[in-house]
Amino acid sequence: MSPIQRKILRIAAAFNFRSVGIFMIYGVIVGIVAGLGAALFHALCQLGQHYLLDVLAGYRPDHPYGEPPMFAPSGTPFHRYLLIIVPALGGLVSGWLVYRFAPEAEGHGTDSAIDAYHNHQGRIRGRVPIIKALSAAVTLGSGGSGGREGPIAQIGAGFGSFLAEKLRLDTKSRRIMLAAGLGAGIGSIFRAPLAGALFAAEILYREPEFEHEVVIPAIVTTIVAYSTFGIFFGFAPLFRRPDFTFGNPLELLPYTILALVVAGFAPFFIKVFYGTKSFFDRMRVPNYFKPAIGGLGVGMIGFFLPQTLAFGYGVIQDGLDDSIGIGLLAAIAIGKVLTTSLSIGSGGSGGVFGPSMVIGGSAGGVVGKLCHMWWPALVTNPGAFVVVGMAGFFAAASNAPISTVIMVSEMTGNYNLLVPAMWVCAISSIVARRWGIYQKQVDTRFDSPAHFGDFVKDHLEEMYVRDIYNPDAPFEYISERMTLKSFIPIMTRTNQQNFPVVDENNELTGIFSIADVRDILVERDLDNLLIIREIANENVSTVTPNDDLASVLRKFTEHEVDILPVVDVEGSRVIKGMIRRRDVVSSYYKKISELRHSDD
């Protein structure tokens, strides 16, 4: 056998093909379901808009180039006054669905998926994605302002969680499959597979942090979901754009102005959004009526500014084509903030990514047109600012600049603006770092319950018993010859739960706990008959000053005790002190606090 063949065999032996094969199968299944879910949800939204906005009210929102309407126009005359009523009716139906069957489906679903990842061991109730899809289709189909990424994120994440649960996978795997499903849904419905995978790994944290274990699984699921969705609706980018280019470093000056504008506008959106949500939370009416009230407010704005209803992606397409004026773009940017806040903040279902694209693109169009007026030789294509404005605004609002840059590039099929998009996203996300539209994000992996065990083990392995135990700390050591009756006064005056037992040479012979003697204490006649040696457990685990705290914590857990005796060397029975479980935990949190301060 040649050296090359032997090397190949060694690599094959080290590589777990069975595990990889099973993982690929799981990823393909999640991707197929997420892609089918995205296709079905997209069709439901189109169906809702056709019958509720077109057939009923005669309003036909503009569509982006890559997403033509599925149904032919009805020919119904435009009844502007019905735009006030239809979103309210949609809100009423959506509210009933959500609060009757799955209250956690209200609002923007991406936050719920993030919360499930960090705080609920990757679990999402099976009915939530279904109710989310139906309620969001009604909300968005009736003119409510929202995006598709929230519902489809819950559909993909919910199925990933469901499959992991049925396969009895561990908590870590369930979290990964949830995140991979989230990325698959978003990457497919926005025709941005790479960005969807990166989004799933980046959106979980407020600080620049990636969940690296999610990236590869998310790439697999997203490719499959994107391919599945594309079978039904094609693979063209969502938006058609002119051939924008970047070829002059001086252009970074007007792009810097854009970055500061969207960095200031994003916190405005977040404050209005959560201010509106807080207002509806305090409103003393049944919850299922609140989306109808919000829908009425949406309809009143839509009466004057119909472009702020539903998805609004047609506005982005018009901005890219430079066929919309400054005044209307500015009005749409502000109006979309209000309609989105009323639609979702009142309890309606929808995402915030889609509206952020419209808000950021409109604001970018305003800045681009103004800069074109001031510096026509420098800013030749105001539409380019629409693309970069979309990226910069959502990067500032979501704390996910990297995936946002890629997503906008994939949605427009244009990587020529990658440099100015990176520039604007970097500046806007730094300036607006204090704010975030996703409240369930945690700062870093340090702060996620998903990684608590990882960091505990890592840091406790670097700490030792000698660093924390106090040999002079007061402990009750019980003589093995003491009677149970003599022990009772000791038990009543101390909070100690576990008691080491020693002989006349002060050497350890056993240990017992309050729980061990609780039943015996009922038999009062045994007080003078029983001695401590007869009830103590002789199988005592000890630690030495040189033991690391990870192994100590493991002994606490295995023996179900709160204290352990400290001896000089392994095998010795001479007690030098005691160490408490709470001392280990307290030392861990002190270490984490020091690390955070050093980072600051």
Side-chain angles (χ1 to χ4, degrees):
M1 184 180 295
S2 69
I4 295 178
Q5 289 176 316
R6 284 196 296 269
K7 188 172 183 179
I8 292 173
L9 287 176
R10 282 199 300 270
I11 294 173
F15 198 76
N16 191 339
F17 284 102
R18 182 175 181 275
S19 174
V20 173
I22 291 174
F23 158 75
M24 291 294 291
I25 292 172
Y26 294 166
V28 168
I29 294 172
V30 173
I32 291 173
V33 172
L36 291 174
L40 178 60
F41 179 65
H42 175 66
L44 286 173
C45 290
Q46 291 266 352
L47 186 69
Q49 286 191 8
H50 175 69
Y51 283 102
L52 296 176
L53 291 181
D54 182 2
V55 174
L56 189 61
Y59 176 58
R60 303 168 190 88
D62 291 336
H63 289 261
Y65 170 78
E67 197 170 87
M70 293 176 60
F71 303 93
S74 67
T76 303
F78 182 31
H79 302 294
R80 186 179 290 268
Y81 67 91
L82 285 177
L83 294 183
I84 301 176
I85 301 172
V86 172
L89 293 176
L92 184 63
V93 175
S94 174
W96 178 81
L97 280 171
V98 167
Y99 292 106
R100 173 67 177 82
F101 297 104
E104 62 266 48
E106 63 93 17
H108 53 110
T110 307
D111 225 11
S112 299
I114 294 171
D115 184 42
Y117 183 91
H118 289 305
N119 301 311
H120 300 288
Q121 298 183 327
R123 288 189 172 94
I124 295 177
R125 278 208 301 167
R127 69 171 65 177
V128 171
I130 299 172
I131 299 302
K132 185 72 176 180
L134 293 175
S135 61
V138 173
T139 298
L140 302 174
S142 62
S145 177
R148 298 174 300 192
E149 88 291 338
I152 193 58
Q154 276 202 324
I155 291 172
F159 182 75
S161 173
F162 169 81
L163 182 61
E165 194 80 17
K166 291 302 179 183
L167 294 171
R168 300 182 183 276
L169 301 184
D170 57 36
T171 300
K172 180 179 179 181
S173 298
R174 185 167 55 248
R175 284 188 167 110
I176 291 174
M177 289 184 69
L178 177 148
L182 181 154
I186 290 177
S188 60
I189 206 162
F190 286 111
R191 300 164 176 84
L194 176 57
L198 295 178
F199 184 82
E202 186 181 22
I203 199 62
L204 301 169
Y205 300 103
R206 194 170 292 115
E207 296 295 328
E209 184 95 65
F210 263 85
E211 191 64 79
H212 59 86
E213 295 170 323
V214 166
V215 175
I216 300 301
I219 287 175
V220 173
T221 57
T222 305
I223 289 172
V224 174
Y226 169 72
S227 301
T228 304
F229 183 86
I231 292 172
F232 298 97
F233 298 106
F235 298 92
L238 195 59
F239 300 105
R240 177 187 61 194
R241 84 283 174 257
D243 292 325
F244 299 132
T245 59
F246 171 79
N248 185 350
L250 293 178
E251 292 180 45
L252 292 179
L253 176 59
Y255 280 121
T256 302
I257 297 174
L258 173 61
L260 297 176
V261 169
V262 295
F265 205 46
F268 168 73
F269 171 47
I270 294 167
K271 288 182 178 180
V272 171
F273 182 88
Y274 282 108
T276 304
K277 186 178 187 305
S278 177
F279 172 78
F280 277 99
D281 288 343
R282 296 193 304 269
M283 187 179 290
R284 296 188 176 183
V285 298
N287 283 335
Y288 49 84
F289 279 132
K290 293 178 181 178
I293 298 172
L296 185 63
V298 170
M300 295 173 68
I301 297 172
F303 179 85
F304 300 99
L305 204 59
Q307 295 89 339
T308 62
L309 298 179
F311 299 129
Y313 297 151
V315 173
I316 298 175
Q317 188 64 69
D318 292 340
L320 293 173
D321 295 336
D322 199 17
S323 60
I324 188 169
I326 292 179
L328 184 55
L329 282 172
I332 290 172
I334 296 173
K336 197 68 175 173
V337 168
L338 299 177
T339 55
T340 303
S341 300
L342 287 167
S343 296
I344 304 175
S346 63
S349 291
V352 294
F353 174 77
S356 295
M357 294 292 102
V358 179
I359 296 167
S362 299
V366 171
V367 174
K369 286 179 177 293
L370 291 175
C371 289
H372 178 64
M373 292 168 55
W374 298 332
W375 303 300
L378 185 61
V379 179
T380 57
N381 291 309
F385 281 66
V386 175
V387 176
V388 179
M390 287 194 293
F393 182 85
F394 190 67
S398 67
N399 299 310
I402 297 174
S403 56
T404 300
V405 169
I406 303 300
M407 187 170 294
V408 170
S409 298
E410 288 186 295
M411 288 169 63
T412 58
N414 188 340
Y415 287 88
N416 295 331
L417 297 177
L418 197 57
V419 169
M422 292 169 59
W423 177 257
V424 171
C425 285
I427 294 174
S428 64
S429 60
I430 291 172
V431 173
R433 176 61 61 187
R434 289 177 50 198
W435 295 273
I437 196 70
Y438 297 118
Q439 291 189 321
K440 298 302 181 180
Q441 286 176 325
V442 299
D443 287 341
T444 65
R445 289 161 65 92
F446 270 123
D447 305 287
S448 173
H451 293 289
F452 179 77
D454 299 338
F455 288 115
V456 168
K457 185 175 184 297
D458 290 344
H459 291 297
L460 290 185
E461 285 178 345
E462 300 173 358
M463 303 165 66
Y464 300 91
V465 172
R466 61 177 179 266
D467 299 326
I468 68 169
Y469 101 100
N470 179 8
D472 299 322
F475 270 94
E476 295 285 353
Y477 299 92
I478 308 301
S479 169
E480 63 180 3
R481 296 182 178 276
M482 181 180 290
T483 64
L484 189 57
K485 184 176 183 178
S486 300
F487 170 71
I488 292 174
I490 299 175
M491 183 183 69
T492 57
R493 72 167 184 261
T494 180
N495 293 323
Q496 194 171 313
Q497 296 295 309
N498 301 94
F499 298 86
V501 179
V502 296
D503 60 16
E504 62 274 8
N505 297 319
N506 205 36
E507 291 188 356
L508 182 69
T509 61
I511 194 168
F512 70 98
S513 69
I514 296 295
D516 294 330
V517 300
R518 186 173 289 118
D519 293 337
I520 299 175
L521 291 176
V522 178
E523 303 291 339
R524 306 301 297 176
D525 294 340
L526 298 177
D527 286 353
N528 288 316
L529 300 177
L530 277 178
I531 60 175
I532 295 298
R533 183 175 58 191
E534 294 175 320
I535 64 173
N537 180 4
E538 296 180 356
N539 182 22
V540 186
S541 182
T542 60
V543 298
T544 72
N546 294 324
D547 286 345
D548 65 77
L549 297 190
S551 63
V552 173
L553 188 60
R554 186 163 53 249
K555 288 183 178 181
F556 278 127
T557 303
E558 289 173 353
H559 294 275
E560 299 181 344
V561 294
D562 293 319
I563 61 171
L564 286 171
V566 181
V567 297
D568 272 341
V569 293
E570 190 70 34
S572 173
R573 309 299 286 180
V574 179
I575 301 177
K576 296 298 182 180
M578 304 293 292
I579 186 171
R580 302 181 181 89
R581 182 195 293 264
R582 69 186 184 196
D583 295 333
V584 175
V585 176
S586 175
S587 299
Y588 168 76
Y589 281 112
K590 182 179 178 182
K591 177 73 170 179
I592 294 299
S593 178
E594 291 173 353
L595 288 172
R596 284 178 176 162
H597 281 341
S598 66
D599 290 341
D600 294 342

